[in-house]
Amino acid sequence: MTKRKHTPGPWFRNIKPASKYNTVWADRNTHVAHAERSGLTEEEIEGNINLIAAAPELLKELILTRDWLRHIRTRLDKIPYTVQLGFDQADKALSGVISKAEGGAA
């Protein structure tokens, strides 16, 4: 499967309040999203716009964390079973979110 590319980060939110200025942009002329406003509280609109603006950085950090965990696991000689399960669960969770962000199955 080919990874779907997103607009490179960083992304920025517009000034507050998001209920009035609901745009996320990557540069001066590249708007990447507009947050829905109808039916949401002010707190939800602010939270959504902040989350969208942080998306590229969050994805980058998730990939780095997954890769770091995989690297550490290959360096350990004897791993207790419960620790091995923790590594497996973390890898599965991180890989699932990363795949979803890249356009794969959730």
Side-chain angles (χ1 to χ4, degrees):
M1 174 197 289
T2 303
K3 291 182 184 179
R4 296 191 180 131
K5 300 290 184 186
H6 63 271
T7 305
W11 292 356
F12 307 92
R13 61 165 291 161
N14 214 328
I15 61 172
K16 291 183 179 186
S19 57
K20 186 173 182 181
Y21 306 103
N22 65 330
T23 301
V24 173
W25 44 277
D27 62 40
R28 186 180 179 122
N29 295 313
T30 306
H31 293 179
V32 295
H34 295 281
E36 180 60 47
R37 298 177 295 189
S38 61
L40 301 175
T41 67
E42 188 69 34
E43 292 81 19
E44 289 172 314
I45 299 166
E46 290 293 332
N48 291 343
I49 207 88
N50 289 333
L51 183 60
I52 293 165
E57 294 164 83
L58 289 169
L59 178 58
K60 177 183 173 186
E61 295 304 322
L62 288 173
I63 292 168
L64 289 172
T65 301
R66 182 201 56 195
D67 294 348
W68 179 81
L69 284 172
R70 288 177 176 178
H71 173 77
I72 293 299
R73 187 173 186 184
T74 62
R75 300 298 186 264
L76 297 175
D77 290 332
K78 294 184 180 180
I79 305 173
Y81 180 71
T82 55
V83 175
Q84 190 174 31
L85 284 178
F87 273 114
D88 291 345
Q89 289 174 335
D91 188 85
K92 183 177 180 181
L94 291 167
S95 294
V97 172
I98 291 165
S99 176
K100 186 176 180 180
E102 292 176 338

